[in-house]
Amino acid sequence: MGQSVSETPASILIIDDHPLLRRGVAQLLELEDDLELVGDTGEPQQGVRLAAELDPDMILLDLNMPGMDGIQTLKALRESGFAGRIVMFTVSDNEEDLVAALRGGADGYLLKDMEPEEMVRQLRQAALGRMVVSESLTALLAEALRNQRTAPATPDIHSLTQREREILRELAAGLSNKLIARKLDISEGTVKVHVKHLLKKLNLRSRVEAAVWAVQEGIDGR
């Protein structure tokens, strides 16, 4: 057993139609002990099948692919029951793509022009259960959610119970349901119920919107 807290490296599947990019990421991951590439494909449908077969901890998913695009592939993966992390890996810094991906169930959105070291750092964060978004996109995301919010009521922190506020703070820190459950010593199912309730009370449509709103309001506990 190594000295790492986790006994096994985080397994990663890449779905991207550029062979050179897949090879580059594969070479990058070979240098890391805690991240392991278990499969790669340039074909989205095969990617969905591989996800079911290999059950990786994380999928790196391209946004722009011929035939079935990244958002459709993302939805297909979630509908098939894949519960691991899905991080979009793309050249698009388009606001609509970013919001569509996060609302579609992605756990992160990284741009392909990032430095290799930064990419590895972000993948490690994603493997730990945190939401990852390229730094250059965080302001864009906040603005996009502000512009696209259709709810007539302004979110009100006072409408939440003490437990819901605690969970909102952890959401804002980027923690997954599993990590929140562990930290607050409650079940993952209980966390899901609380998240559902707090989203309804705040008139928000996703945990990402809730996280961004909490950070903007300065209630992220930091």
Side-chain angles (χ1 to χ4, degrees), residues 10-13 35 56-60 82 84-87 123 126-127:
S11 54
I12 299 173
L13 168 67
L35 300 169
D57 296 313
M58 190 189 331
I59 293 176
L60 259 186
F82 180 73
R85 316 291 290 164
I86 301 178
V87 176
L123 291 182

Side-chain angles (χ1 to χ4, degrees), residues 165-166 168-174 211-222:
R165 287 189 207 190
E166 286 174 9
L168 178 62
R169 267 193 287 273
E170 301 307 333
L171 276 183
V212 171
W213 177 76
V215 171
Q216 285 176 324
E217 297 296 311
I219 50 178
D220 58 337
R222 278 181 267 173

Side-chain angles (χ1 to χ4, degrees), residues 177-221:
N177 287 350
K178 189 178 286 185
L179 288 180
I180 294 172
R182 197 179 301 161
K183 187 167 182 181
L184 300 181
D185 199 23
I186 54 179
S187 76
E188 195 174 344
T190 302
V191 174
K192 283 180 184 172
V193 171
H194 282 309
V195 170
K196 189 177 174 184
H197 288 166
L198 72 86
L199 288 177
K200 193 171 182 183
K201 288 182 182 179
L202 295 174
N203 289 296
L204 298 170
R205 285 183 288 184
S206 74
R207 57 191 292 125
V208 178
E209 286 194 22
V212 171
W213 177 76
V215 171
Q216 285 176 324
E217 297 296 311
I219 50 178
D220 58 337

Side-chain angles (χ1 to χ4, degrees), residues 7 10 20 30 36 59 92 102 114 116 122 129 132 134-135 138 148 160 164 169 178 191 199 208 212:
E7 308 83 15
L20 277 175
E30 273 174 20
E36 179 189 18
I59 293 176
S92 173
L102 296 176
M114 66 197 316
Q122 294 277 29
V132 292
S134 281
E135 218 168 286
T138 49
Q148 294 192 21
L160 303 183
E164 286 165 353
R169 267 193 287 273
K178 189 178 286 185
V191 174
L199 288 177
V208 178
V212 171

Side-chain angles (χ1 to χ4, degrees), residues 23-41:
R23 191 179 305 162
V25 173
Q27 289 171 344
L28 187 65
L29 295 179
E30 273 174 20
L31 303 172
E32 308 303 326
D33 294 333
D34 54 347
L35 300 169
E36 179 189 18
L37 183 66
V38 293
D40 70 274
T41 178

